Amino acid sequence: MSATKSDFGVSGPHPLPWQRAATGANLLSGDGSLGVTIFEEMTTLALSAGAINLGQGFPDEDGPVEIREAAQAAIAAGANQYAPGKGIPVLREAISAHQSRFYGLTPDPDTEIIVTTGATEAIAAALLALVGPGDEVLTFEPFYDSYGAIIGLAGATHVTAPLLAPDFQPDLDALEAAFSNRTKVVLVNNPHNPTGAVFPSEVLQRVVDLAERFGSIIITDEVYEHLTFGVRHVPVATLPGAAGRTMTISSAGKTFSFTGWKIGWLSGPAHLVAAARTVKQFLSYSSGTPFQSAIAVGLELPDEFYTGIADTLRYKRDILSAGLRAAGLDVLTPQGTYFVNVDTSPLGITDAVDLARKLPALVGVAAIPVPVFCHAEGAERTRSLLRFAFCKKVHVLEEAAERLATLRERL
């Protein structure tokens, strides 16, 4: 159910911060009515229909036992009060060691890393620190909905460059055309949610070169860094010309399957990290003290763990994809993340939002329509696309695949 503008006592010529955030996340209609997020809507429909919820991207099983035990031990040892605002030293040191081990980066744990309440807070702190009215923030489209919300909250203008099906790689000329002298920040999500694309070095280098030309700061959301399938993740900060202008964000939730712990981090040049820390300390200040030390343990797990989680997730992707193909859908195979997208048009369906609302009752599976992650023009371009999450137990995905395989006959 939507609330109307009058329910909030809104008046005056200028949108309030909540309105800018809601508009940026596509939650506010032209008449001022406030809706719920697509995740809440689809979850409600899934619950009412007893459907398997493949909409929201969180695992349905916990991560490594040694990380859980480390958190329990930290609680028992009394690590239950505020952590330092920038994060406990052992985790900041582990983050630095992890980046050195996998990517050859060596951020200073004291001045170039902060721990945040998930990647979402890191993104919010960085954007709120760096942009305001008159500035532009450039993202790819489709985009994760919180990007639009925070850009709107900051009062900046959200500009997008399209990712084109079936491989969801950008048109580089369109990317260049999206830059301007007002492009204060380029926000790059790689591996990319919701499309599952992984951008190669040449695409990322083009972003860096354009950011250098226009004097833009780069913020990267790399939470799926270890969840790629047969392709290598390339951190933007490792590319020529990037290190001095790039803030890198990641988190423990996706890598270790502890999304509820909300432990994220941001690294980059000391002056940019200091700017983000200034804002972050007035958001959550600090969080998750015992979880921070446990994630430090996780970051030290052997390489076999990291290759194993990607292999397992690829297997799950393929189980779900088989059911989607059996349903007559065009599967757009992802190179990373938790998500697979499908095109519904082979079934003669061009309205993915309408189909998403019907799916839970129709076949007992819930998904997310991709158009909700776009502005108007992008929504039209992606209007027949649905996103399914495959970060679930194998038997759940097998059941979902069987249900989805009946879609064509039920239609």
Side-chain angles (χ1 to χ4, degrees):
M1 181 177 180
S2 296
T4 65
K5 186 183 295 186
S6 61
D7 293 327
F8 298 92
V10 176
S11 62
H14 303 296
L16 295 174
W18 73 265
Q19 292 175 299
R20 298 198 304 269
T23 300
N26 295 329
L27 296 182
L28 203 64
S29 66
D31 66 359
S33 299
L34 178 64
V36 299
T37 68
I38 192 66
F39 303 105
E40 183 176 346
E41 181 182 358
M42 292 302 121
T43 296
T44 299
L45 289 174
L47 287 171
S48 65
I52 296 172
N53 189 356
L54 301 185
Q56 197 161 2
F58 61 86
D60 58 0
E61 52 191 335
D62 289 336
V65 64
E66 52 264 62
I67 301 179
R68 299 201 306 271
E69 290 177 346
Q72 292 165 348
I75 292 170
N80 301 306
Q81 308 307 323
Y82 291 128
K86 61 183 178 181
I88 65 172
V90 68
L91 178 54
R92 286 184 279 113
E93 290 163 3
I95 292 165
S96 180
H98 169 273
Q99 292 207 5
S100 175
R101 169 185 168 191
F102 286 100
Y103 311 123
L105 297 168
T106 56
D108 186 322
D110 290 327
T111 62
E112 296 181 329
I113 295 173
I114 55 172
V115 177
T116 59
T117 306
T120 302
E121 186 190 46
I123 294 163
L127 287 174
L128 291 172
L130 298 175
V131 302
D135 294 327
E136 293 180 354
V137 179
L138 173 60
T139 74
F140 289 124
E141 186 180 51
F143 53 85
Y144 184 52
D145 60 349
S146 76
Y147 300 168
I150 298 302
I151 293 166
L153 185 62
T157 300
H158 189 182
V159 177
T160 61
L163 299 177
L164 306 175
D167 60 358
F168 295 110
Q169 293 297 317
D171 177 283
L172 295 182
D173 290 336
L175 174 63
E176 181 171 354
F179 273 82
S180 77
N181 292 328
R182 295 182 299 278
T183 306
K184 186 69 173 294
V185 165
V186 186
L187 174 52
V188 179
N189 177 205
N190 181 48
H192 185 265
N193 173 19
T195 67
V198 177
F199 304 123
S201 294
E202 54 268 26
V203 167
L204 298 175
Q205 187 64 61
R206 185 66 170 270
V207 171
V208 174
D209 293 345
L210 289 167
E212 189 170 26
R213 184 199 307 177
F214 288 95
S216 309
I217 296 166
I218 304 170
I219 299 173
T220 68
D221 175 356
E222 302 183 15
V223 297
Y224 297 99
E225 60 184 308
H226 291 293
L227 305 180
T228 63
F229 317 127
V231 293
R232 185 172 65 94
H233 171 65
V234 179
V236 171
T238 64
L239 297 174
R245 65 177 64 249
T246 301
M247 303 170 77
T248 302
I249 293 168
S250 193
S251 77
K254 303 302 190 294
T255 298
F256 300 117
S257 295
F258 291 117
T259 59
W261 290 11
K262 297 298 291 180
I263 301 297
W265 50 86
L266 179 152
S267 62
H271 69 287
L272 295 179
V273 172
R277 186 176 68 244
T278 300
V279 172
K280 179 260 185 302
Q281 66 186 345
F282 298 111
L283 297 176
S284 68
Y285 178 66
S286 71
S287 59
T289 303
F291 300 135
Q292 289 191 30
S293 58
I295 295 305
V297 172
L299 289 171
E300 296 170 351
L301 290 174
D303 291 356
E304 290 76 15
F305 164 78
Y306 291 95
T307 56
I309 57 174
D311 290 344
T312 298
L313 203 57
R314 174 162 48 183
Y315 175 66
K316 293 180 176 182
R317 175 200 68 179
D318 294 344
I319 290 173
L320 182 60
S321 295
L324 293 166
R325 289 191 183 93
L329 298 164
D330 185 7
V331 176
L332 309 176
T333 302
Q335 293 183 306
T337 77
Y338 282 167
F339 308 109
V340 59
N341 288 264
V342 299
D343 190 344
T344 64
S345 57
L347 295 178
I349 298 171
T350 57
D351 188 343
V353 175
D354 180 64
L355 180 59
R357 289 177 171 140
K358 294 176 179 176
L359 267 183
L362 196 62
V363 297
V365 177
I368 298 291
V370 175
V372 302
F373 299 110
C374 301
H375 294 149
E377 183 178 339
E380 182 62 29
R381 186 175 55 249
T382 61
R383 68 189 313 264
S384 63
L385 302 185
L386 279 176
R387 189 197 78 172
F388 294 82
F390 50 85
C391 50
K392 309 297 180 181
K393 295 175 183 176
V394 169
H395 73 86
V396 173
L397 294 171
E398 289 172 340
E399 174 62 25
E402 289 182 9
R403 295 183 185 186
L404 287 162
T406 69
L407 175 60
R408 192 181 345 222
E409 64 191 68
R410 291 179 185 274
L411 288 170

